[in-house]
Amino acid sequence: MTIVLPAPWQQVLGIDHADPIPSALGDFLEAEERSGKVIYPPRDQWLAALDMTPPDQVRVVILGQDPYHGPGQAHGLAFSVQTGVKVPPSLVNIYKELESDLGIARPKHGNLAHWAKQGVLLLNNALTVEAGKAGSHQKRGWEQFTDAVIAAVAQQDAPCVFMLWGSHAQKKAARIAALETGGHLVLQAPHPSPLSAYTGFFGCRHFSQANAFLERRGRGAIDWRV
């Protein structure tokens, strides 16, 4: 299985070949495809977050768990769906907090590519999932790769904001703190899913905090409109 890692990420990850995924993960994904299982997102979008956000442009990292597992939803950016696809409940809640925090009207679509193109790395912990089975590709080897991506960002000198929503993402906080060299800002809150958003995600004001930090550090605010 060949997956081409963008050249700028090859450099910061210290990978001297195009295919970045562990061989065991590649074997697993090939076997899943051969068995006829549907995998989301499509293969050419597995690394979309890295394609869209080069390492030297990362200003914010938003870490998701794994891709959406419904038809036509996942396209390689955490929490994002293609224009025309119904906005999922977690993203609806993200938009509610964005409106409360910055007064930005809730968008009618769920495509977050505008964020990614400004340096918001929308990275899931596992980058694939079997159709209809949430979490089905966790602990198969993606975490080894995405941990390396997070470490590479944390070790850069340019200050970044890490938004860690939910216990799964918050497990990365200690690793970020141990590796960071740029004086990053780590923000933590409950996950924006309907099951937990009312326990502290709403009112966390992460978007305004991120922009205030980035402006203080000379990196410029994110335009959170989509």
Side-chain angles (χ1 to χ4, degrees):
M1 174 170 289
T2 300
I3 303 172
V4 179
L5 182 67
W9 283 103
Q10 289 186 40
Q11 183 176 357
V12 300
L13 293 174
I15 295 174
D16 58 2
H17 52 84
D19 192 347
I21 66 173
S23 58
L25 173 61
D27 292 344
F28 165 73
L29 293 170
E30 285 190 333
E32 293 288 279
E33 289 181 335
R34 284 197 303 270
S35 71
K37 292 179 181 178
V38 176
I39 295 175
Y40 295 133
R43 188 190 290 201
D44 63 356
Q45 296 174 354
W46 290 355
L47 301 183
L50 303 184
D51 286 328
M52 208 167 290
T53 312
D56 63 345
Q57 295 181 23
V58 176
R59 293 189 283 163
V60 177
V61 178
I62 297 179
L63 184 65
Q65 189 162 338
D66 57 359
Y68 296 120
H69 54 84
Q73 291 182 306
H75 66 120
L77 305 179
F79 294 105
S80 179
V81 293
Q82 294 278 25
T83 303
V85 177
K86 182 180 179 181
V87 180
S90 291
L91 185 52
V92 168
N93 287 338
I94 291 170
Y95 285 167
K96 288 179 180 178
E97 175 58 23
L98 189 60
E99 183 177 39
S100 173
D101 189 9
L102 292 176
I104 295 174
R106 299 176 205 176
K108 298 186 183 301
H109 67 88
N111 193 325
L112 304 180
H114 179 61
W115 292 3
K117 291 174 182 177
Q118 295 180 79
V120 180
L121 181 60
L122 297 166
L123 186 71
N124 280 312
N125 200 34
L127 300 186
T128 57
V129 68
E130 181 183 345
K133 295 185 177 181
S136 52
H137 289 184
Q138 293 179 23
K139 299 182 180 179
R140 292 289 185 171
W142 275 123
E143 292 85 355
Q144 177 183 338
F145 172 64
T146 54
D147 279 357
V149 171
I150 293 167
V153 175
Q155 290 174 307
Q156 293 195 109
D157 291 334
C160 297
V161 180
F162 291 83
M163 295 185 182
L164 306 180
W165 297 336
S167 58
H168 187 87
Q170 288 166 12
K171 292 177 182 178
K172 309 294 186 188
R175 180 174 178 81
I176 294 166
L179 292 169
E180 71 167 270
T181 59
H184 307 309
L185 175 64
V186 178
L187 301 173
Q188 302 185 53
H191 195 276
S193 78
L195 296 175
S196 56
Y198 286 93
T199 64
F201 178 78
F202 290 138
C204 69
R205 298 182 63 84
H206 281 186
F207 300 103
S208 59
Q209 289 186 64
N211 276 356
F213 172 82
L214 291 170
E215 289 184 312
R216 286 197 306 270
R217 302 302 296 271
R219 301 210 68 194
I222 302 293
D223 176 6
W224 293 106
R225 296 171 297 177
V226 299

